[in-house]
Amino acid sequence: MGEKPVKYIISQRNILFVENDKIYHNGKEIELEGGLQETVLNKKIEIYRNFFSRHFDNTIVLTGAGSSFGIGKTNVKGMTMRKLWEEIVKKCGKEPVENLGNKINFKIENIKEVNLEDFLSHASLFLLLYNNTDVEVERIVKKIKQIIIDNCTIIMPEDAPHKEFLKRITARKLKHNRLKLFTTNYDMLFEQAANECGFTMIDGFTFTFPRVFNGNNYDYDIVIRKNSRITAQENYASKVFHLYKLHGSLDWARNAETGQILKCDFENNKKPVMIFPSSIKYETSYEQPFFEMMSRFQTELRMDNALLIIIGYSFGDKHINSMIFEALDLNHSLQLVIVDPYIENFEHIIEKTQRSANIMLIRSDFKELALNYPYSFAYGQEENGEE
């Protein structure tokens, strides 16, 4: 009996897979050029580079924990939810965690297999039920949240793929709509990359100090005004993109008196505004500023000739998923590309490729994509953008 095929590209137009040490593209065997892995990698990159080189009026990116996984200059590196749970058990202790599980009526059969979101959901509902009067439960929940914060306080290393990705994906005609980058991550890796590479982020906060969140700021853009300019055509500034933190950020703080969300130094922020993993996050996402972020995401998905690239997102948020799949049903010009090292985990989406020609899955990590995303030298950010 032969080996189970390993698929590298899945879509209606392109299926690239390896079976019994042979590579097949759309059913035809490909001749090896070098080793097996080298050949399949080159063919995979060729396919998705050709696709991404097509013209899209609107480019949207959604990233999850996979875009930060393993990245970090210090011992603190991006983690999956599973690894984060292991860290919580290590820091809190196995026995206290099991005791907490018993108290909040959360059955733990195998502590290694616990779903962090389910666990925190039970704990949060328990505290709501008893009006935060159980001191011990509240203490451990606070400790768990602090462990999450500590493990998301990542310092970007020199070789982080975020910098190259931003350079490449923003190299497009400046008259086209800005890149819209949405992320469920709390960390500051994209912000650090933007700062190091000289990008300007439109992130919903004012440009005055203190920086205060106001959703209307997303409607602004940056243009260059020159005294010698004789044309009325707008000269849009280069190296500008929109950033949306769907679950909050390490550098968000709430003013206790006014309720306003302010920008602050993320390394010294004691109480960041974040939606922690739990079932309550669906209700919280309808509060500001999260509601503004979600509304913008839904609006972008309905734009004409739009490309949505999803990187390292596990589809664990039902409210986000419903927006994506609804948009695919309603907006027939929307193209969806999912980038993940384990695309076989998305069976429900693979099934959709049989009915929709607008979905592609690529077996890849973020670093590979960042280094191979097609770069348009004609519209590179070194250009001044004038035509």
Side-chain angles (χ1 to χ4, degrees):
M1 190 173 180
E3 296 178 1
K4 188 177 180 180
V6 178
K7 296 180 179 178
Y8 289 82
I9 298 273
I10 302 174
S11 72
Q12 275 195 7
R13 295 182 178 87
N14 287 286
I15 297 181
L16 179 68
F17 65 94
V18 173
E19 186 175 23
N20 296 325
D21 294 330
K22 293 182 179 179
I23 305 172
Y24 297 90
H25 179 219
N26 293 340
K28 295 182 179 179
E29 185 179 348
I30 296 176
E31 186 175 335
L32 294 181
E33 297 178 3
L36 178 74
Q37 291 303 318
E38 180 185 358
T39 304
V40 74
L41 175 63
N42 290 338
K43 186 62 180 178
K44 176 181 66 171
I45 292 171
E46 176 192 327
I47 293 170
Y48 71 65
R49 281 176 65 92
N50 286 338
F51 176 83
F52 289 132
S53 295
R54 291 165 51 184
H55 168 70
F56 295 98
D57 292 327
N58 300 280
T59 301
I60 311 152
V61 175
L62 171 64
T63 74
S67 66
S68 301
F69 179 68
I71 297 172
K73 189 174 183 179
T74 64
N75 291 332
V76 179
K77 302 183 188 302
M79 293 184 177
T80 60
M81 293 286 277
R82 188 185 184 94
K83 288 289 184 184
L84 193 52
W85 173 252
E86 290 176 5
E87 189 69 13
I88 287 167
V89 174
K90 179 182 174 183
K91 293 283 178 65
C92 292
K94 181 181 177 183
E95 187 174 339
V97 169
E98 289 177 336
N99 291 339
L100 176 60
N102 291 331
K103 195 163 193 177
I104 64 176
N105 198 28
F106 184 88
K107 189 175 181 180
I108 299 178
E109 294 180 351
N110 183 349
I111 198 163
K112 293 182 179 180
E113 300 298 326
V114 171
N115 182 294
L116 172 57
E117 185 168 314
D118 291 344
F119 187 84
L120 271 182
S121 295
H122 275 71
S124 299
L125 291 171
F126 180 91
L127 289 172
L128 281 174
L129 182 63
Y130 291 98
N131 199 26
N132 294 344
T133 56
D134 194 304
V135 178
E136 183 60 17
V137 173
E138 188 173 22
R139 183 187 69 81
I140 297 179
V141 168
K142 282 184 177 179
K143 186 172 183 179
I144 289 173
K145 289 181 177 181
Q146 188 58 51
I147 292 169
I148 293 172
I149 292 170
D150 292 343
N151 282 277
C152 291
T153 308
I154 305 169
I155 305 301
M156 187 187 69
E158 274 300 314
D159 60 349
H162 301 69
K163 295 185 289 185
E164 189 64 27
F165 183 69
L166 286 177
K167 289 177 185 177
R168 288 172 177 265
I169 200 167
T170 57
R172 56 208 303 265
K173 283 186 177 181
L174 296 176
K175 67 179 182 180
H176 293 157
N177 290 332
R178 301 293 194 182
L179 166 71
K180 307 297 176 16
L181 175 55
F182 296 81
T183 182
T184 59
N185 297 343
Y186 312 125
D187 65 57
M188 304 287 295
L189 288 172
F190 276 111
E191 290 94 323
Q192 292 175 71
N195 183 59
E196 190 166 314
C197 297
F199 282 86
T200 299
M201 293 180 300
I202 297 175
D203 57 7
F205 288 82
T206 58
F207 287 96
T208 55
F209 186 83
R211 298 194 63 199
V212 180
F213 182 84
N214 185 324
N216 292 331
N217 291 313
Y218 282 121
D219 297 323
Y220 299 152
D221 208 329
I222 299 175
V223 297
I224 299 171
R225 298 290 187 191
K226 294 181 179 178
N227 294 332
S228 59
R229 192 167 63 108
I230 59 174
T231 175
Q233 184 178 355
E234 300 292 0
N235 183 17
Y236 290 100
S238 63
K239 306 184 85 169
V240 178
F241 71 96
H242 287 213
L243 179 67
Y244 304 80
K245 306 291 284 282
L246 295 174
H247 288 168
S249 183
L250 291 174
D251 67 339
W252 292 7
R254 189 180 299 275
N255 185 306
E257 295 180 3
T258 65
Q260 292 177 314
I261 305 299
L262 310 174
K263 276 274 193 181
C264 61
D265 177 15
F266 78 97
E267 293 185 76
N268 297 312
N269 188 11
K270 301 300 181 185
K271 294 183 69 175
V273 178
M274 292 160 39
I275 300 179
F276 288 94
S278 78
S279 59
I280 301 175
K281 68 184 177 184
Y282 306 123
E283 287 76 19
T284 310
S285 65
Y286 287 97
E287 300 174 3
Q288 292 291 11
F290 308 109
F291 183 72
E292 179 72 31
M293 305 279 177
M294 296 303 300
S295 298
R296 296 278 176 169
F297 183 59
Q298 189 171 47
T299 299
E300 290 301 323
L301 293 178
R302 294 176 177 178
M303 299 292 282
D304 290 336
N305 191 25
L307 168 65
L308 171 62
I309 306 173
I310 296 179
I311 305 167
Y313 170 67
S314 64
F315 285 82
D317 292 87
K318 293 179 182 177
H319 56 306
I320 295 176
N321 300 348
S322 62
M323 288 183 181
I324 295 170
F325 296 131
E326 179 190 45
L328 280 171
D329 290 336
L330 299 178
N331 183 2
H332 300 297
S333 68
L334 174 65
Q335 297 286 331
L336 169 63
V337 178
I338 297 169
V339 180
D340 195 276
Y342 307 103
I343 55 176
E344 61 274 5
N345 292 339
F346 305 115
E347 290 183 13
H348 61 298
I349 300 174
I350 293 173
E351 289 176 5
K352 289 180 181 292
T353 63
Q354 299 173 12
R355 303 187 299 275
S356 173
N358 293 14
I359 303 173
M360 176 187 289
L361 294 93
I362 303 171
R363 184 185 298 276
S364 171
D365 59 19
F366 182 38
K367 184 176 182 179
E368 180 202 300
L369 177 72
L371 294 176
N372 293 286
Y373 194 92
Y375 180 79
S376 175
F377 289 95
Y379 307 115
Q381 302 297 3
E382 289 77 19
E383 300 290 327
N384 61 16
E386 294 182 2
E387 298 191 27

